[in-house]
Amino acid sequence: MTLAPSRQAAQEELESWRTAPVACSLTGGAYSERADQWHRVLDGADRRATDEGIRLTLPADRAGAVAELAASEQQCCRFFDFRIHLAGHRLHLEVRAPADAAELLTDLFGTAS
């Protein structure tokens, strides 16, 4: 019989991005290609600063592309925390990262307006 993790263990897993090393396993061309993918899918997004990152608002029809990129990003950059919220015809993407990753956050997701 498998037991569900305790609340503390679940919370620690949700917050693991805070202690993950700020390092991306993508190099050179792969990093540039990923950045270009983010820039294309986030084109025209409304950007707002949050306490630990940025909140982007987009048309909901980009949800599949955003979710796919976020899942891929977690494979190489575990220090990012992604939250996707659909609200009617709008998609809200919140991306958080440790302070040491501020430059990477800006490179991929832009700056808040």
Side-chain angles (χ1 to χ4, degrees), residues 35-103:
D36 288 345
Q37 290 172 325
W38 276 116
H39 296 161
R40 281 192 301 274
V41 78
L42 299 177
D43 184 48
D46 177 56
R47 291 168 169 84
R48 308 273 170 157
T50 65
D51 288 341
E52 297 175 292
I54 191 166
R55 182 178 191 205
L56 302 103
T57 301
L58 306 151
D61 63 358
R62 297 189 200 176
V66 167
E68 186 176 333
L69 274 172
S72 293
E73 199 67 41
Q74 283 288 279
Q75 298 303 308
C76 61
C77 297
R78 296 206 175 269
F79 57 89
F80 282 129
D81 178 59
F82 295 95
R83 296 180 184 218
I84 298 170
H85 177 82
L86 292 171
H89 65 283
R90 306 304 289 165
L91 162 71
H92 303 288
L93 170 65
E94 291 187 24
V95 185
R96 300 186 299 170
D100 292 350
E103 186 176 330

